[in-house]
Amino acid sequence: MKLTRDRIIDAGMATFAEVGYQALSMRQVAERLDVHAGSLYYHVRNKNALLQLMADRVARRAYDAGTAALDRLPGDADWRARIEAQMTTLRESIKRHPGGATLLAESPKVLSVGALSLMERLLRTLADAGMPEQQRIIGADTLLSHVTGFVLQEQSEPDAPAVDAGELADLGARFPLTVAGAARYDQEDKFMRSVRLLCAGIANLSAENSGQCTRE
């Protein structure tokens, strides 16, 4: 089969899922493709370039999924609904790629166009929400970091250890708020509530900014 950039990215993603960010090497990718490592460099100049392409693929797919979700919203959907659509599809998209959350978290360092597109659209949504300009980049970064962190936890959580009734009762007595809270929500509900909590903070900042502008 002809060696192409897309095939190299596919192999890079599969290798990355097995060995992680730091251990990934062009030699391992070449071995997966059953080619000499030197032949990769006609298509991808080095490991950093491959990581950029991999991060960009994850981000572009997330961006496209977000676009489709936004298109499905009613015309009068407010900024909260648009943020929820973007964050929900971002989570779903990066969960489809083992290591996708790590790649997305690292994507700003490799100047991924896909990741920059995600950020730009989110910044426009925050501007529509009335968030103060000096706070928007922090708000967007917080939302994106929250999603990547949430998925990192989902993808790395080990199987829950066996806990007998006595141990559970003891933990409940020592840490009642934590134990009760942990059992209250499933992952889907917890994610949506967490995004809405962040949106509530954005709304508060926007209201404060509006009040300042009115007074001025």
Side-chain angles (χ1 to χ4, degrees), residues 106-175:
E106 295 289 337
S107 57
K109 298 178 183 177
V110 296
L111 297 178
S112 157
V113 172
L116 293 172
S117 298
L118 286 169
M119 175 66 82
E120 186 75 10
R121 181 167 64 191
L122 188 52
L123 286 169
R124 292 186 185 281
T125 306
L126 294 176
D128 292 342
M131 192 173 191
E133 183 177 358
Q134 67 273 21
Q135 298 285 0
R136 286 175 205 158
I137 193 71
I138 302 299
D141 187 63
T142 299
L143 284 162
L144 294 175
S145 296
H146 172 66
V147 177
T148 53
F150 197 96
V151 175
L152 280 171
Q153 282 190 315
E154 289 184 294
Q155 292 182 332
S156 63
E157 285 180 352
D159 293 335
V163 179
D164 62 34
E167 291 174 314
L168 187 59
D170 178 61
L171 290 172
R174 294 172 63 193
F175 312 106

Side-chain angles (χ1 to χ4, degrees), residues 1 13 23 26 31 33 55 80 85-86 92-93 109 133 135 140 142-143 147 156 171 183-184 186 192 199 207 209-210:
M1 187 181 296
M13 297 286 289
M26 297 294 275
E31 288 176 355
L33 291 165
R80 291 176 181 83
Q86 290 172 70
E92 292 169 350
S93 295
K109 298 178 183 177
E133 183 177 358
Q135 298 285 0
T142 299
L143 284 162
V147 177
S156 63
L171 290 172
R184 187 169 297 163
D186 62 24
M192 288 307 304
C199 284
N209 184 55
S210 177

Side-chain angles (χ1 to χ4, degrees), residues 197-208:
L197 184 64
L198 292 172
C199 284
I202 292 167
N204 187 55
L205 276 173
S206 300
E208 289 180 0

